[in-house]
């Protein structure tokens, strides 16, 4: 019998704040010099790859993973030199942890506060979870506007504050003293997001012991494990015990657990790669700054933000020359004519700089 039911459309069923979102866009990159996503460009030494191959061959993938991920958590605590009494919660990438934190505190009307421009997922996940998002503008040079941030905190009483340290997409580390004042003034949780810790000169992990509303989040994505999808949150058991209830039991698979634990045994190899990236960053910043019409910002991360006239055309010109970076123009008013390039190998930098110079010459 034909149904008399009026068809349900996505527009009628899905929450308006979700309908209003644009999906996080990941452009195709096959065959390109891929400098758009802050990946580590280096492969692992062959001996380590062989070791991983043997581990994977013997893995019990017919079984669910260890839900508590004991071995991996112990490896993380050791590699990170977490202060005693600090616990770890694992996420399928740190994106998942941002979502889990927001889900935990999303009472009606609850506020998620961050600064702008910063990592776009803070705002998106606020929308996913029905939180009200407040973005406090950074100053012109992308520093924290401490007065404005403290005012917004006392006005909005955020349940959750995210500060990326170093910040994405600007690459700078905020003033540690200002961050500390924000933590002390915040009535809720402050999450210092150290996605780029391996390339930075400072960390808030030592502050965990003295700030009871502070959590530090890290990811291994930028350290050579983007494909494994592994992030973690470090903090007291008082907070993590509650947040664990929201973690889906098997969110980190058998293979990521095994491989990440093995790689952390060889943390020195990964840190050496991060050191090469830091050295390459110095050269890339100098090469970018030497191009007329380019203004590059100093960075404590594995990418560099730069400004160039006609950024959208520069981005397209690079793409036509086989180099994929990130176009930030049009995203946020403070990022007009801004582009972001990941620090890759010396060879990738050379290709990028040649393509950029060529594109700018052609546009002149
Ligand atoms: N935080 C910041 C500041 C980031 O830039 C990113 C990745 N771009 C993430 C978190 C998420 O990383 P992942 O989900 O790969 O751990």
């Amino acid at each position: 019998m034909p149904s008399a039911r009026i068809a349900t459309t996505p527009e009628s069923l899905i929450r308006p704040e979700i309908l209003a979102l644009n999906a996080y866009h990941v452009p195709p990159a096959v065959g390109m010099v891929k400098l758009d996503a802050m990946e580590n460009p280096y492969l692992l030494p062959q001996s380590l790859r062989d070791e991983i191959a043997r581990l994977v061959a013997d893995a019990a993938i017919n079984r669910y993973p260890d839900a508590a991920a004991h071995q991996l958590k112990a490896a993380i605590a050791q590699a990170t030199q977490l202060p005693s009494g600090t616990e770890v919660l694992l996420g399928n990438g740190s994106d998942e942890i941002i979502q889990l934190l927001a889900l935990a505190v999303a009472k009606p009307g609850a506020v998620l506060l961050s600064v702008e421009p910063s990592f776009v997922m803070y705002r998106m996940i606020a929308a996913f979870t029905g939180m009200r998002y407040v973005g406090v503008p950074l100053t012109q040079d992308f520093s924290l506007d401490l007065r404005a941030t403290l005012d917004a905190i006392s006005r909005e009483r955020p349940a959750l504050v995210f500060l990326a340290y170093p910040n994405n997409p600007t690459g700078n580390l905020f003033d540690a003293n200002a961050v500390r004042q924000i933590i002390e003034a915040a009535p809720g949780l402050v999450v210092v997001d150290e996605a780029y810790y391996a390339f930075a000169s400072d960390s808030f992990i030592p502050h965990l012991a003295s700030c009871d509303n502070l959590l530090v989040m890290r990811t291994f994505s930028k350290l050579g494990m983007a494909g494994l999808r592994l992030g973690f949150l470090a903090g007291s058991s008082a907070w993590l015990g509650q947040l664990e209830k929201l973690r889906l039991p098997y969110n980190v698979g058998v293979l990521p657990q095994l491989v990440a634990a093995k790689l952390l045994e060889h943390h020195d190899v990964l840190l050496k790669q991060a050191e090469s990236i830091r050295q390459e960053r110095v050269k890339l910043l100098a090469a970018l700054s030497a191009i007329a019409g380019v203004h590059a910002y100093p960075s404590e991360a594995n990418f560099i933000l730069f400004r160039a006239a006609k950024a959208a055309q520069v981005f397209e010109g690079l793409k036509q020359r086989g180099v994929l970076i990130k176009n930030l123009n049009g995203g946020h008013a403070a990022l007009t004519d801004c582009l972001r390039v990941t620090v890759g190998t010396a060879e990738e930098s050379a290709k990028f700089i040649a393509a950029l110079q060529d594109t700018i010459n052609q546009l002149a």
Side-chain angles (χ1 to χ4, degrees):
M1 227 176 68
S3 160
R5 193 172 70 84
I6 297 169
T8 306
T9 62
E11 288 72 21
S12 68
L13 193 65
I14 291 179
R15 290 187 280 140
E17 59 272 31
I18 306 301
L19 291 173
L21 287 175
N22 292 316
Y24 189 87
H25 177 60
V26 180
V30 179
M32 307 281 280
V33 176
K34 191 172 184 310
L35 299 174
D36 66 328
M38 287 79 101
E39 292 145 330
N40 172 345
Y42 301 111
L43 291 177
L44 294 168
Q46 190 60 48
S47 57
L48 188 46
R49 293 165 74 186
D50 292 342
E51 235 183 295
I52 289 170
R54 283 193 296 277
L55 264 181
V56 169
D58 292 338
I61 57 170
N62 56 318
R63 301 287 177 198
Y64 281 108
D66 171 6
H70 283 110
Q71 208 192 339
L72 177 55
K73 280 192 192 170
I76 289 173
Q78 198 186 8
T80 314
Q81 296 175 325
L82 288 177
S84 67
T86 304
E87 306 232 336
V88 169
L89 176 146
L90 299 183
N92 189 299
S94 48
D95 284 341
E96 190 187 45
I97 298 175
I98 302 170
Q99 178 162 287
L100 187 149
L101 282 158
L103 274 174
V105 299
K107 294 178 186 168
V111 168
L112 186 157
L113 182 143
S114 191
V115 292
E116 293 205 346
S118 188
F119 186 38
V120 293
M121 289 309 287
Y122 305 145
R123 176 197 275 272
M124 287 189 77
I125 286 173
F128 297 174
T129 56
M131 292 188 78
R132 192 157 65 80
Y133 173 80
V134 173
V136 182
L138 295 172
T139 64
Q140 193 129 37
D141 67 352
F142 302 129
S143 304
L144 279 176
D145 186 336
L146 183 60
R147 190 70 265 143
T149 311
L150 292 176
D151 284 352
I153 286 173
S154 69
R155 190 176 62 244
E156 308 285 355
R157 312 291 298 161
L160 199 50
V161 175
F162 279 99
L163 293 173
Y165 189 82
N167 191 34
N168 173 18
T170 57
N172 55 315
L173 266 186
F174 298 134
D175 178 64
N177 196 32
V179 174
R180 182 85 198 200
Q181 287 187 56
I182 290 169
I183 296 167
E184 278 159 18
L189 274 173
V190 177
V191 181
V192 174
D193 178 351
E194 297 189 344
Y196 301 96
Y197 74 93
F199 315 99
S201 60
D202 192 33
S203 164
F204 267 74
I205 285 191
H207 297 251
L208 279 170
S210 55
C211 304
D212 61 9
N213 62 333
L214 168 68
L215 298 171
V216 176
M217 187 172 75
R218 285 187 171 184
T219 176
F220 291 117
S221 293
K222 323 297 172 183
L223 193 64
M225 301 186 224
L228 293 182
R229 305 301 297 129
L230 183 65
F232 73 90
L233 188 67
S236 68
S237 59
W239 286 112
L240 265 51
Q242 296 299 328
L243 295 168
E244 269 291 338
K245 298 177 189 171
L246 275 165
R247 187 181 63 80
L248 299 176
Y250 304 116
N251 64 332
V252 182
V254 169
L255 300 182
Q257 285 195 33
L258 269 177
V259 177
K262 172 56 66 188
L263 286 179
L264 289 174
E265 270 176 37
H266 299 273
H267 201 211
D268 55 319
V269 173
L270 300 173
L271 292 179
K272 233 167 83 190
Q273 293 184 343
E275 177 53 32
S276 301
I277 292 168
R278 280 206 298 264
Q279 286 172 13
E280 189 52 37
R281 179 177 73 197
V282 175
K283 294 183 201 150
L284 183 59
L285 182 67
L288 268 171
S289 304
I291 298 179
V294 169
H295 176 80
Y297 293 85
S299 168
E300 295 239 11
N302 64 341
F303 59 82
I304 294 175
L305 180 79
F306 66 100
R307 222 179 265 275
K310 304 181 192 159
Q313 285 163 271
V314 172
F315 172 76
E316 286 304 325
L318 286 167
K319 214 158 92 176
Q320 280 159 19
R321 289 164 179 81
V323 179
L324 184 65
I325 64 168
K326 178 87 174 175
N327 179 16
L328 298 163
N329 184 58
H332 188 278
L335 296 174
T336 301
D337 275 340
C338 280
L339 298 151
R340 186 191 66 199
V341 61
T342 304
V343 181
T345 62
E347 196 192 347
E348 288 172 326
S349 292
K351 283 186 185 156
F352 158 69
I353 290 290
L356 180 63
Q357 185 69 75
D358 195 34
T359 303
I360 288 177
N361 290 346
Q362 205 187 31
L363 288 173

